[in-house]
Amino acid sequence: MYRYDEFDSDFVRQRVAEFRDQVARRLSGELTEDQFKPLRLMNGVYLQLHAYMLRIAIPYGVLSARQLRKLAHIARVYDRGYGHFTTRQNLQFNWVELARIPDLLGELADVEMHAIQTSGNCIRNVTADHFAGAAADEAVDPRPYAEILRQWSSLHPEFSFLPRKFKIAVTGAERDRAAIQVHDIGLQARRDADGAIGFAVYVGGGQGRTPMIAKKIRDFLPESDLLAYCTAILRVYNLEGRRDNKYKARIKILVHEMGEADLIREVEREFEGLRGTPLALPAAEVARIARYFAPPDLAELPPHSVVLDSRSAGDPDLSRFVRRNLTAHRAPGYTALTISLKAIGEAPGDASADQMDAVADLAERYAFGEIRVSHEQNLILPHVRLDDVPALHAGLQAAGLATPNAGLVTDIIACPGLDYCALANARSIPVAQRIAERFADPVRQDAIGDLKIKISGCINACGHHHVGHIGLLGVDRKGEEFYQITLGGSADETATIGEIVGPGFPADRVVDAIEAIVDVYLRLRHDASEDFLAAYRRIGAEPFKSALYAEV
Amino acid sequence: MAVYDFHAGAFRDDDWIFPDDDASLPAGKAAVSKARFVAREEGALGLVLTAGDTLDGLGNALARVELVALRFPRYADGRPYSLARRLRERHGYTGELRAVGDVLRDQVDFLARAGFDTLDIVHPGTIEALRAGTLVRVTRHYQPGARSERPAGYSWRRVSF
Ligand code: SF4
């Protein structure tokens, strides 16, 4: 993974010093909360319902065991013993004290981490495929490009006061696990016929109040043009994006209002002027960054593990875990292993300090010390020997982290919602917990198969409900919490915005509604090989509507 | 009136005049709005652009301009940064670029790196910090700026000061 050099660590230390100065000015009263707000937001500090919240960047979801241990330490010393992994591959601490945040950031800097640009109207933490460098279907490792973009976008002098936040996601596989088509810029790294690397460039996707699927504006942008082209897009957006209404300020609205053809013309014109400037990426520099992401020392192994096969034959828990939580690895005999943070009855994405330590230990012992955070709010050990899976599974069981539900109905994405978030209309976490409890039976979950439920507590859509196979959106109806259901959304290479199925349901009926939807699917699917999304695309919304609203 | 000059790292006196649109053009160095400027008023060698103005229609007139003042209506309106870059890169403008309006100390370095030469600011805390030289700064940068800075390792990195 990427390691800071002297330059990077100087940068982060200087930034901590700057923020320490800002906090001191706030605490002394020189700055009012209003004046302080934009400054703290540039460092990931929010004022939430009950306390300040700090959001820490985990660039493109890559963490080392050492870093995770530090996060566990911070959870213990500065918070209430746990942290919350978000859908943007970040980590949030919900109970930090403002006066201590500079020290906390200093501790983060010790392990090459920061909270820069995790909020504010700037380029946010760049996200990437959480199986990068491991997935069997990967054409190009997206991490070097995500790292270059992270660096380039850090305290960018031109793009720190955009009309609105700006999110970039990068993948390097045809199968899109980074949801690039619902980002402001989505990049798919690929190779042309000669093996040269370039990017399919998507612009103007997004969720929130007006969900939109991105438009592809370049099929193959040469690697060396990456920064110049992104600069061109950002400059056009910075100048032309709307600033009169924050709900219309994202680039997706600009693309929509300007039209795809005009936007492309503007971007290309800007790009022409940026060609041949110092923004051109020399191949040698890309190679230097890529070297940090060289694969670990993987052994030559047979594709199947006799140990694992025989152990899981006699252990239903292990066998279920293997079936659900392992993903094909590019190297024979290895797997990418998902650690679900969706234990039944727990808050999705939460991990205790002890659990973080346990994962760090296991990663060091069995997985080259490397951990990933997925936008599905789970952790991943990207390089694990199949032979080691039984021992690892036992270790995870001991830490309460062996839930075998990756991709199943109980692997629910949920935003913090009304339990923490000042913007929420409704609670997300308790609904996720109740749905998970209803479907807790593992046999039933298996029978239902792949199903992504995503819950947002308000229209900001941090829980990605628009792209859930089943999406739940918290709405406020005369002071009561209601949930609007969408069906058929998807965030992968076939990205689709879910359709609203009808009037919302009150909190005490929403779990029944989900169950009714699942029952319709089970009744009407061809067979178990037709998953929920495929069945929905075939049969449409009608059968679900009549089941949900029949008795009314 | 005094402006902060990035090149000198100090405040200096300034004699530019910024007449209102309905006032007559004074003697001396005057900077006027785009509307007035495009009407090619005699003598105006300075141009004031507000966030939201475009650079369309300025044509060759920029060649005789000595000052472009870019106005920040609110610190959070980042358009002038991009206008500054376009003025330099697309229009080849080489005269003085000045930031005017709602600027906080935390933006000073962004302005310098976006190619501004001078700063005409009203925020007392910022003026004080600039005078006293107590700004806490980040001197490592991950992107080439508009000013000449020391390259540092990778092609996109720079060190200032
Ligand atoms: S979706 Fe709304 S409620 Fe949920 S975290 Fe985002 S802003 Fe808060």
Side-chain angles (χ1 to χ4, degrees), chain A residues 308-309 311-327 337-338 340 344 389-390 393 397 402-408 410 439-450:
Chain A
L308 178 58
D309 290 351
R311 286 286 301 280
S312 55
D315 180 344
D317 286 345
L318 177 60
S319 137
R320 188 165 281 122
F321 185 84
V322 167
R323 229 174 26 251
R324 289 312 313 186
N325 292 34
L326 301 190
T327 299
L337 180 147
T338 298
S340 164
I344 309 297
V389 170
H393 179 252
Q397 276 181 322
T403 316
N405 64 349
L408 291 176
T410 57
F439 290 98
D441 175 9
V443 178
R444 189 174 180 206
Q445 289 186 54
D446 266 354
I448 297 165
D450 286 348

mmCIF file of all heavy atoms in Angstrom, chain A residues 308-309 311-327 337-338 340 344 389-390 393 397 402-408 410 439-450:
data_model
loop_
_atom_site.group_PDB
_atom_site.id
_atom_site.type_symbol
_atom_site.label_atom_id
_atom_site.label_comp_id
_atom_site.label_asym_id
_atom_site.label_seq_id
_atom_site.Cartn_x
_atom_site.Cartn_y
_atom_site.Cartn_z
ATOM 1 N N LEU A 308 -9.377 -26.642 3.675
ATOM 2 C CA LEU A 308 -10.625 -25.891 3.796
ATOM 3 C C LEU A 308 -11.825 -26.754 3.415
ATOM 4 O O LEU A 308 -12.847 -26.757 4.108
ATOM 5 C CB LEU A 308 -10.574 -24.635 2.919
ATOM 6 C CG LEU A 308 -11.838 -23.772 2.921
ATOM 7 C CD1 LEU A 308 -12.183 -23.302 4.330
ATOM 8 C CD2 LEU A 308 -11.686 -22.575 1.993
ATOM 9 N N ASP A 309 -11.688 -27.501 2.311
ATOM 10 C CA ASP A 309 -12.810 -28.331 1.880
ATOM 11 C C ASP A 309 -13.200 -29.333 2.961
ATOM 12 O O ASP A 309 -14.384 -29.499 3.267
ATOM 13 C CB ASP A 309 -12.459 -29.072 0.582
ATOM 14 C CG ASP A 309 -12.381 -28.103 -0.599
ATOM 15 O OD1 ASP A 309 -12.761 -26.925 -0.405
ATOM 16 O OD2 ASP A 309 -11.937 -28.501 -1.688
ATOM 17 N N ARG A 311 -12.488 -29.285 6.242
ATOM 18 C CA ARG A 311 -12.958 -28.629 7.467
ATOM 19 C C ARG A 311 -14.382 -28.096 7.296
ATOM 20 O O ARG A 311 -15.221 -28.213 8.195
ATOM 21 C CB ARG A 311 -12.025 -27.484 7.864
ATOM 22 C CG ARG A 311 -10.706 -27.965 8.463
ATOM 23 C CD ARG A 311 -10.865 -28.489 9.885
ATOM 24 N NE ARG A 311 -11.395 -27.479 10.797
ATOM 25 C CZ ARG A 311 -10.664 -26.527 11.341
ATOM 26 N NH1 ARG A 311 -9.373 -26.461 11.097
ATOM 27 N NH2 ARG A 311 -11.220 -25.628 12.140
ATOM 28 N N SER A 312 -14.671 -27.502 6.157
ATOM 29 C CA SER A 312 -16.003 -26.912 6.026
ATOM 30 C C SER A 312 -17.079 -27.975 5.799
ATOM 31 O O SER A 312 -18.258 -27.743 6.072
ATOM 32 C CB SER A 312 -16.053 -25.828 4.951
ATOM 33 O OG SER A 312 -15.608 -26.316 3.738
ATOM 34 N N ALA A 313 -16.661 -29.156 5.331
ATOM 35 C CA ALA A 313 -17.636 -30.241 5.169
ATOM 36 C C ALA A 313 -18.255 -30.620 6.514
ATOM 37 O O ALA A 313 -19.436 -30.973 6.589
ATOM 38 C CB ALA A 313 -16.966 -31.454 4.530
ATOM 39 N N GLY A 314 -17.468 -30.508 7.593
ATOM 40 C CA GLY A 314 -17.993 -30.913 8.891
ATOM 41 C C GLY A 314 -18.422 -29.744 9.756
ATOM 42 O O GLY A 314 -18.692 -29.910 10.951
ATOM 43 N N ASP A 315 -18.453 -28.544 9.199
ATOM 44 C CA ASP A 315 -18.724 -27.364 10.025
ATOM 45 C C ASP A 315 -19.686 -26.442 9.265
ATOM 46 O O ASP A 315 -19.268 -25.681 8.398
ATOM 47 C CB ASP A 315 -17.394 -26.658 10.322
ATOM 48 C CG ASP A 315 -17.580 -25.407 11.175
ATOM 49 O OD1 ASP A 315 -18.718 -24.911 11.297
ATOM 50 O OD2 ASP A 315 -16.563 -24.920 11.704
ATOM 51 N N PRO A 316 -20.969 -26.530 9.560
ATOM 52 C CA PRO A 316 -21.947 -25.743 8.792
ATOM 53 C C PRO A 316 -21.706 -24.234 8.880
ATOM 54 O O PRO A 316 -21.940 -23.519 7.908
ATOM 55 C CB PRO A 316 -23.296 -26.112 9.425
ATOM 56 C CG PRO A 316 -23.017 -26.998 10.584
ATOM 57 C CD PRO A 316 -21.578 -27.384 10.588
ATOM 58 N N ASP A 317 -21.236 -23.758 10.020
ATOM 59 C CA ASP A 317 -20.965 -22.315 10.139
ATOM 60 C C ASP A 317 -19.865 -21.897 9.168
ATOM 61 O O ASP A 317 -19.997 -20.917 8.431
ATOM 62 C CB ASP A 317 -20.505 -21.968 11.560
ATOM 63 C CG ASP A 317 -21.664 -21.998 12.540
ATOM 64 O OD1 ASP A 317 -22.824 -22.002 12.070
ATOM 65 O OD2 ASP A 317 -21.405 -22.049 13.754
ATOM 66 N N LEU A 318 -18.791 -22.689 9.192
ATOM 67 C CA LEU A 318 -17.668 -22.385 8.303
ATOM 68 C C LEU A 318 -18.112 -22.500 6.846
ATOM 69 O O LEU A 318 -17.777 -21.656 6.010
ATOM 70 C CB LEU A 318 -16.493 -23.334 8.588
ATOM 71 C CG LEU A 318 -15.281 -23.172 7.668
ATOM 72 C CD1 LEU A 318 -14.707 -21.767 7.755
ATOM 73 C CD2 LEU A 318 -14.200 -24.201 8.010
ATOM 74 N N SER A 319 -18.885 -23.540 6.570
ATOM 75 C CA SER A 319 -19.288 -23.760 5.196
ATOM 76 C C SER A 319 -20.165 -22.604 4.688
ATOM 77 O O SER A 319 -20.026 -22.138 3.555
ATOM 78 C CB SER A 319 -19.979 -25.120 5.104
ATOM 79 O OG SER A 319 -21.119 -25.049 4.312
ATOM 80 N N ARG A 320 -21.037 -22.123 5.542
ATOM 81 C CA ARG A 320 -21.870 -20.975 5.155
ATOM 82 C C ARG A 320 -20.994 -19.730 4.936
ATOM 83 O O ARG A 320 -21.185 -18.977 3.983
ATOM 84 C CB ARG A 320 -22.902 -20.719 6.267
ATOM 85 C CG ARG A 320 -23.934 -19.705 5.903
ATOM 86 C CD ARG A 320 -25.138 -19.739 6.842
ATOM 87 N NE ARG A 320 -26.054 -20.817 6.519
ATOM 88 C CZ ARG A 320 -26.412 -21.780 7.374
ATOM 89 N NH1 ARG A 320 -25.935 -21.807 8.597
ATOM 90 N NH2 ARG A 320 -27.253 -22.704 7.004
ATOM 91 N N PHE A 321 -20.042 -19.548 5.827
ATOM 92 C CA PHE A 321 -19.122 -18.411 5.728
ATOM 93 C C PHE A 321 -18.357 -18.472 4.399
ATOM 94 O O PHE A 321 -18.222 -17.470 3.700
ATOM 95 C CB PHE A 321 -18.146 -18.445 6.914
ATOM 96 C CG PHE A 321 -17.222 -17.268 6.982
ATOM 97 C CD1 PHE A 321 -17.621 -16.085 7.584
ATOM 98 C CD2 PHE A 321 -15.945 -17.334 6.432
ATOM 99 C CE1 PHE A 321 -16.767 -14.989 7.638
ATOM 100 C CE2 PHE A 321 -15.087 -16.247 6.475
ATOM 101 C CZ PHE A 321 -15.494 -15.074 7.085
ATOM 102 N N VAL A 322 -17.885 -19.658 4.062
ATOM 103 C CA VAL A 322 -17.128 -19.831 2.816
ATOM 104 C C VAL A 322 -18.011 -19.515 1.616
ATOM 105 O O VAL A 322 -17.593 -18.849 0.667
ATOM 106 C CB VAL A 322 -16.591 -21.282 2.723
ATOM 107 C CG1 VAL A 322 -16.093 -21.593 1.318
ATOM 108 C CG2 VAL A 322 -15.489 -21.485 3.752
ATOM 109 N N ARG A 323 -19.250 -19.955 1.694
ATOM 110 C CA ARG A 323 -20.159 -19.741 0.580
ATOM 111 C C ARG A 323 -20.453 -18.256 0.372
ATOM 112 O O ARG A 323 -20.528 -17.770 -0.747
ATOM 113 C CB ARG A 323 -21.457 -20.502 0.836
ATOM 114 C CG ARG A 323 -21.884 -21.318 -0.349
ATOM 115 C CD ARG A 323 -23.076 -22.225 -0.180
ATOM 116 N NE ARG A 323 -24.040 -21.891 0.807
ATOM 117 C CZ ARG A 323 -24.201 -22.566 1.941
ATOM 118 N NH1 ARG A 323 -23.413 -23.580 2.238
ATOM 119 N NH2 ARG A 323 -25.132 -22.222 2.799
ATOM 120 N N ARG A 324 -20.584 -17.517 1.454
ATOM 121 C CA ARG A 324 -21.013 -16.123 1.339
ATOM 122 C C ARG A 324 -19.878 -15.110 1.366
ATOM 123 O O ARG A 324 -19.965 -14.072 0.736
ATOM 124 C CB ARG A 324 -21.985 -15.767 2.486
ATOM 125 C CG ARG A 324 -23.339 -16.400 2.397
ATOM 126 C CD ARG A 324 -24.018 -16.289 1.035
ATOM 127 N NE ARG A 324 -24.002 -14.966 0.414
ATOM 128 C CZ ARG A 324 -24.644 -14.683 -0.714
ATOM 129 N NH1 ARG A 324 -25.357 -15.601 -1.325
ATOM 130 N NH2 ARG A 324 -24.573 -13.474 -1.232
ATOM 131 N N ASN A 325 -18.864 -15.344 2.170
ATOM 132 C CA ASN A 325 -17.928 -14.259 2.479
ATOM 133 C C ASN A 325 -16.587 -14.348 1.760
ATOM 134 O O ASN A 325 -15.693 -13.565 2.045
ATOM 135 C CB ASN A 325 -17.698 -14.175 3.990
ATOM 136 C CG ASN A 325 -18.949 -13.718 4.735
ATOM 137 O OD1 ASN A 325 -20.064 -14.047 4.337
ATOM 138 N ND2 ASN A 325 -18.778 -12.955 5.802
ATOM 139 N N LEU A 326 -16.451 -15.300 0.829
ATOM 140 C CA LEU A 326 -15.207 -15.376 0.069
ATOM 141 C C LEU A 326 -15.451 -14.924 -1.371
ATOM 142 O O LEU A 326 -16.476 -15.217 -1.955
ATOM 143 C CB LEU A 326 -14.657 -16.812 0.055
ATOM 144 C CG LEU A 326 -14.349 -17.453 1.414
ATOM 145 C CD1 LEU A 326 -13.595 -18.763 1.211
ATOM 146 C CD2 LEU A 326 -13.566 -16.527 2.334
ATOM 147 N N THR A 327 -14.478 -14.179 -1.912
ATOM 148 C CA THR A 327 -14.573 -13.683 -3.289
ATOM 149 C C THR A 327 -13.363 -14.184 -4.069
ATOM 150 O O THR A 327 -12.248 -14.201 -3.532
ATOM 151 C CB THR A 327 -14.609 -12.135 -3.278
ATOM 152 O OG1 THR A 327 -15.755 -11.721 -2.543
ATOM 153 C CG2 THR A 327 -14.685 -11.568 -4.691
ATOM 154 N N LEU A 337 -11.471 -12.051 1.554
ATOM 155 C CA LEU A 337 -12.427 -12.470 2.578
ATOM 156 C C LEU A 337 -13.158 -11.264 3.173
ATOM 157 O O LEU A 337 -12.523 -10.284 3.581
ATOM 158 C CB LEU A 337 -11.661 -13.235 3.659
ATOM 159 C CG LEU A 337 -12.421 -13.794 4.844
ATOM 160 C CD1 LEU A 337 -11.767 -15.101 5.299
ATOM 161 C CD2 LEU A 337 -12.443 -12.800 6.004
ATOM 162 N N THR A 338 -14.473 -11.326 3.177
ATOM 163 C CA THR A 338 -15.275 -10.226 3.712
ATOM 164 C C THR A 338 -15.602 -10.466 5.188
ATOM 165 O O THR A 338 -16.089 -11.535 5.556
ATOM 166 C CB THR A 338 -16.577 -10.078 2.910
ATOM 167 O OG1 THR A 338 -16.256 -9.764 1.551
ATOM 168 C CG2 THR A 338 -17.452 -8.960 3.480
ATOM 169 N N SER A 340 -18.052 -9.258 7.796
ATOM 170 C CA SER A 340 -19.300 -8.512 7.834
ATOM 171 C C SER A 340 -19.414 -7.706 9.127
ATOM 172 O O SER A 340 -19.184 -8.214 10.217
ATOM 173 C CB SER A 340 -20.465 -9.504 7.734
ATOM 174 O OG SER A 340 -21.662 -8.873 8.122
ATOM 175 N N ILE A 344 -26.376 -9.649 13.331
ATOM 176 C CA ILE A 344 -27.803 -9.424 13.582
ATOM 177 C C ILE A 344 -27.975 -8.626 14.872
ATOM 178 O O ILE A 344 -27.427 -8.974 15.913
ATOM 179 C CB ILE A 344 -28.551 -10.770 13.720
ATOM 180 C CG1 ILE A 344 -28.242 -11.685 12.535
ATOM 181 C CG2 ILE A 344 -30.055 -10.548 13.902
ATOM 182 C CD1 ILE A 344 -28.687 -11.197 11.186
ATOM 183 N N VAL A 389 -8.281 -20.115 5.952
ATOM 184 C CA VAL A 389 -9.641 -19.637 6.228
ATOM 185 C C VAL A 389 -10.245 -20.256 7.501
ATOM 186 O O VAL A 389 -10.846 -19.532 8.301
ATOM 187 C CB VAL A 389 -10.562 -19.821 4.994
ATOM 188 C CG1 VAL A 389 -12.024 -19.561 5.353
ATOM 189 C CG2 VAL A 389 -10.127 -18.894 3.871
ATOM 190 N N PRO A 390 -10.061 -21.581 7.753
ATOM 191 C CA PRO A 390 -10.655 -22.122 8.983
ATOM 192 C C PRO A 390 -10.134 -21.426 10.249
ATOM 193 O O PRO A 390 -10.923 -21.046 11.124
ATOM 194 C CB PRO A 390 -10.241 -23.596 8.952
ATOM 195 C CG PRO A 390 -10.043 -23.916 7.506
ATOM 196 C CD PRO A 390 -9.487 -22.655 6.900
ATOM 197 N N HIS A 393 -11.464 -17.926 10.391
ATOM 198 C CA HIS A 393 -12.882 -17.943 10.735
ATOM 199 C C HIS A 393 -13.059 -18.121 12.239
ATOM 200 O O HIS A 393 -13.874 -17.432 12.871
ATOM 201 C CB HIS A 393 -13.583 -19.070 9.967
ATOM 202 C CG HIS A 393 -15.038 -19.188 10.262
ATOM 203 N ND1 HIS A 393 -15.563 -20.225 11.013
ATOM 204 C CD2 HIS A 393 -16.093 -18.385 9.946
ATOM 205 C CE1 HIS A 393 -16.871 -20.059 11.128
ATOM 206 N NE2 HIS A 393 -17.225 -18.962 10.486
ATOM 207 N N GLN A 397 -14.877 -15.601 14.739
ATOM 208 C CA GLN A 397 -15.970 -16.023 15.634
ATOM 209 C C GLN A 397 -15.720 -15.515 17.049
ATOM 210 O O GLN A 397 -16.618 -14.992 17.702
ATOM 211 C CB GLN A 397 -16.089 -17.550 15.641
ATOM 212 C CG GLN A 397 -16.925 -18.083 14.496
ATOM 213 C CD GLN A 397 -17.055 -19.608 14.528
ATOM 214 O OE1 GLN A 397 -16.105 -20.303 14.871
ATOM 215 N NE2 GLN A 397 -18.237 -20.096 14.167
ATOM 216 N N ALA A 402 -17.906 -13.132 12.651
ATOM 217 C CA ALA A 402 -17.957 -14.186 11.635
ATOM 218 C C ALA A 402 -19.329 -14.294 10.975
ATOM 219 O O ALA A 402 -19.669 -15.330 10.403
ATOM 220 C CB ALA A 402 -17.551 -15.520 12.260
ATOM 221 N N THR A 403 -20.117 -13.249 11.014
ATOM 222 C CA THR A 403 -21.456 -13.301 10.433
ATOM 223 C C THR A 403 -21.376 -13.652 8.947
ATOM 224 O O THR A 403 -20.776 -12.907 8.161
ATOM 225 C CB THR A 403 -22.168 -11.938 10.599
ATOM 226 O OG1 THR A 403 -21.946 -11.475 11.926
ATOM 227 C CG2 THR A 403 -23.650 -12.072 10.334
ATOM 228 N N PRO A 404 -21.994 -14.776 8.543
ATOM 229 C CA PRO A 404 -21.813 -15.245 7.165
ATOM 230 C C PRO A 404 -22.880 -14.679 6.240
ATOM 231 O O PRO A 404 -23.598 -15.429 5.579
ATOM 232 C CB PRO A 404 -21.961 -16.764 7.318
ATOM 233 C CG PRO A 404 -22.945 -16.923 8.436
ATOM 234 C CD PRO A 404 -22.764 -15.745 9.359
ATOM 235 N N ASN A 405 -22.996 -13.364 6.166
ATOM 236 C CA ASN A 405 -24.134 -12.811 5.434
ATOM 237 C C ASN A 405 -23.753 -11.846 4.317
ATOM 238 O O ASN A 405 -24.590 -11.057 3.874
ATOM 239 C CB ASN A 405 -25.103 -12.127 6.407
ATOM 240 C CG ASN A 405 -24.482 -10.926 7.096
ATOM 241 O OD1 ASN A 405 -23.274 -10.707 7.016
ATOM 242 N ND2 ASN A 405 -25.306 -10.146 7.781
ATOM 243 N N ALA A 406 -22.519 -11.876 3.833
ATOM 244 C CA ALA A 406 -22.120 -10.906 2.804
ATOM 245 C C ALA A 406 -23.055 -10.989 1.599
ATOM 246 O O ALA A 406 -23.250 -12.050 1.024
ATOM 247 C CB ALA A 406 -20.674 -11.137 2.384
ATOM 248 N N GLY A 407 -23.644 -9.877 1.242
ATOM 249 C CA GLY A 407 -24.519 -9.807 0.070
ATOM 250 C C GLY A 407 -25.930 -10.314 0.303
ATOM 251 O O GLY A 407 -26.765 -10.268 -0.602
ATOM 252 N N LEU A 408 -26.223 -10.778 1.512
ATOM 253 C CA LEU A 408 -27.563 -11.308 1.792
ATOM 254 C C LEU A 408 -28.491 -10.221 2.344
ATOM 255 O O LEU A 408 -28.083 -9.088 2.589
ATOM 256 C CB LEU A 408 -27.471 -12.469 2.793
ATOM 257 C CG LEU A 408 -26.805 -13.750 2.262
ATOM 258 C CD1 LEU A 408 -26.672 -14.783 3.365
ATOM 259 C CD2 LEU A 408 -27.587 -14.321 1.078
ATOM 260 N N THR A 410 -29.594 -9.588 5.150
ATOM 261 C CA THR A 410 -29.251 -8.928 6.421
ATOM 262 C C THR A 410 -27.978 -8.092 6.322
ATOM 263 O O THR A 410 -27.580 -7.442 7.290
ATOM 264 C CB THR A 410 -29.076 -9.963 7.547
ATOM 265 O OG1 THR A 410 -28.077 -10.914 7.152
ATOM 266 C CG2 THR A 410 -30.373 -10.692 7.841
ATOM 267 N N PHE A 439 -35.158 -11.489 9.507
ATOM 268 C CA PHE A 439 -34.610 -12.460 8.547
ATOM 269 C C PHE A 439 -33.400 -13.197 9.125
ATOM 270 O O PHE A 439 -32.574 -13.707 8.379
ATOM 271 C CB PHE A 439 -34.206 -11.755 7.247
ATOM 272 C CG PHE A 439 -35.375 -11.260 6.439
ATOM 273 C CD1 PHE A 439 -35.772 -9.935 6.514
ATOM 274 C CD2 PHE A 439 -36.084 -12.134 5.619
ATOM 275 C CE1 PHE A 439 -36.850 -9.471 5.766
ATOM 276 C CE2 PHE A 439 -37.164 -11.669 4.874
ATOM 277 C CZ PHE A 439 -37.560 -10.334 4.953
ATOM 278 N N ALA A 440 -33.315 -13.248 10.430
ATOM 279 C CA ALA A 440 -32.093 -13.764 11.063
ATOM 280 C C ALA A 440 -31.796 -15.220 10.694
ATOM 281 O O ALA A 440 -30.628 -15.615 10.593
ATOM 282 C CB ALA A 440 -32.187 -13.618 12.578
ATOM 283 N N ASP A 441 -32.821 -16.018 10.489
ATOM 284 C CA ASP A 441 -32.608 -17.441 10.209
ATOM 285 C C ASP A 441 -31.697 -17.631 8.990
ATOM 286 O O ASP A 441 -32.046 -17.229 7.875
ATOM 287 C CB ASP A 441 -33.978 -18.095 9.958
ATOM 288 C CG ASP A 441 -33.820 -19.551 9.529
ATOM 289 O OD1 ASP A 441 -32.686 -20.081 9.594
ATOM 290 O OD2 ASP A 441 -34.845 -20.147 9.130
ATOM 291 N N PRO A 442 -30.532 -18.240 9.191
ATOM 292 C CA PRO A 442 -29.564 -18.347 8.093
ATOM 293 C C PRO A 442 -30.078 -19.174 6.917
ATOM 294 O O PRO A 442 -29.731 -18.889 5.761
ATOM 295 C CB PRO A 442 -28.340 -19.016 8.733
ATOM 296 C CG PRO A 442 -28.750 -19.477 10.080
ATOM 297 C CD PRO A 442 -29.999 -18.757 10.476
ATOM 298 N N VAL A 443 -30.901 -20.160 7.190
ATOM 299 C CA VAL A 443 -31.426 -20.981 6.089
ATOM 300 C C VAL A 443 -32.335 -20.133 5.202
ATOM 301 O O VAL A 443 -32.274 -20.179 3.972
ATOM 302 C CB VAL A 443 -32.186 -22.205 6.655
ATOM 303 C CG1 VAL A 443 -32.767 -23.043 5.516
ATOM 304 C CG2 VAL A 443 -31.262 -23.040 7.523
ATOM 305 N N ARG A 444 -33.129 -19.322 5.857
ATOM 306 C CA ARG A 444 -34.015 -18.443 5.102
ATOM 307 C C ARG A 444 -33.215 -17.421 4.284
ATOM 308 O O ARG A 444 -33.520 -17.179 3.114
ATOM 309 C CB ARG A 444 -34.943 -17.732 6.091
ATOM 310 C CG ARG A 444 -36.050 -16.966 5.428
ATOM 311 C CD ARG A 444 -36.989 -16.418 6.469
ATOM 312 N NE ARG A 444 -38.071 -15.665 5.876
ATOM 313 C CZ ARG A 444 -38.725 -14.697 6.507
ATOM 314 N NH1 ARG A 444 -38.396 -14.386 7.746
ATOM 315 N NH2 ARG A 444 -39.705 -14.055 5.913
ATOM 316 N N GLN A 445 -32.188 -16.855 4.893
ATOM 317 C CA GLN A 445 -31.343 -15.898 4.166
ATOM 318 C C GLN A 445 -30.737 -16.545 2.930
ATOM 319 O O GLN A 445 -30.709 -15.951 1.855
ATOM 320 C CB GLN A 445 -30.203 -15.410 5.057
ATOM 321 C CG GLN A 445 -30.643 -14.499 6.169
ATOM 322 C CD GLN A 445 -29.429 -13.948 6.910
ATOM 323 O OE1 GLN A 445 -28.533 -13.366 6.302
ATOM 324 N NE2 GLN A 445 -29.409 -14.129 8.217
ATOM 325 N N ASP A 446 -30.245 -17.767 3.113
ATOM 326 C CA ASP A 446 -29.660 -18.488 1.986
ATOM 327 C C ASP A 446 -30.675 -18.685 0.874
ATOM 328 O O ASP A 446 -30.374 -18.543 -0.308
ATOM 329 C CB ASP A 446 -29.182 -19.874 2.447
ATOM 330 C CG ASP A 446 -27.716 -19.833 2.838
ATOM 331 O OD1 ASP A 446 -27.102 -18.766 2.634
ATOM 332 O OD2 ASP A 446 -27.214 -20.850 3.337
ATOM 333 N N ALA A 447 -31.894 -19.033 1.277
ATOM 334 C CA ALA A 447 -32.934 -19.295 0.292
ATOM 335 C C ALA A 447 -33.247 -18.018 -0.495
ATOM 336 O O ALA A 447 -33.532 -18.069 -1.686
ATOM 337 C CB ALA A 447 -34.187 -19.819 0.988
ATOM 338 N N ILE A 448 -33.178 -16.876 0.167
ATOM 339 C CA ILE A 448 -33.487 -15.613 -0.519
ATOM 340 C C ILE A 448 -32.341 -15.214 -1.459
ATOM 341 O O ILE A 448 -32.561 -14.679 -2.536
ATOM 342 C CB ILE A 448 -33.762 -14.496 0.509
ATOM 343 C CG1 ILE A 448 -34.990 -14.856 1.346
ATOM 344 C CG2 ILE A 448 -33.959 -13.151 -0.177
ATOM 345 C CD1 ILE A 448 -35.145 -14.030 2.606
ATOM 346 N N GLY A 449 -31.114 -15.485 -1.038
ATOM 347 C CA GLY A 449 -29.965 -15.198 -1.901
ATOM 348 C C GLY A 449 -29.578 -13.730 -1.931
ATOM 349 O O GLY A 449 -29.912 -12.961 -1.025
ATOM 350 N N ASP A 450 -28.888 -13.316 -2.998
ATOM 351 C CA ASP A 450 -28.351 -11.954 -3.094
ATOM 352 C C ASP A 450 -29.466 -10.915 -3.058
ATOM 353 O O ASP A 450 -30.366 -10.937 -3.892
ATOM 354 C CB ASP A 450 -27.592 -11.773 -4.416
ATOM 355 C CG ASP A 450 -26.251 -12.477 -4.396
ATOM 356 O OD1 ASP A 450 -25.830 -12.904 -3.302
ATOM 357 O OD2 ASP A 450 -25.637 -12.617 -5.473
#
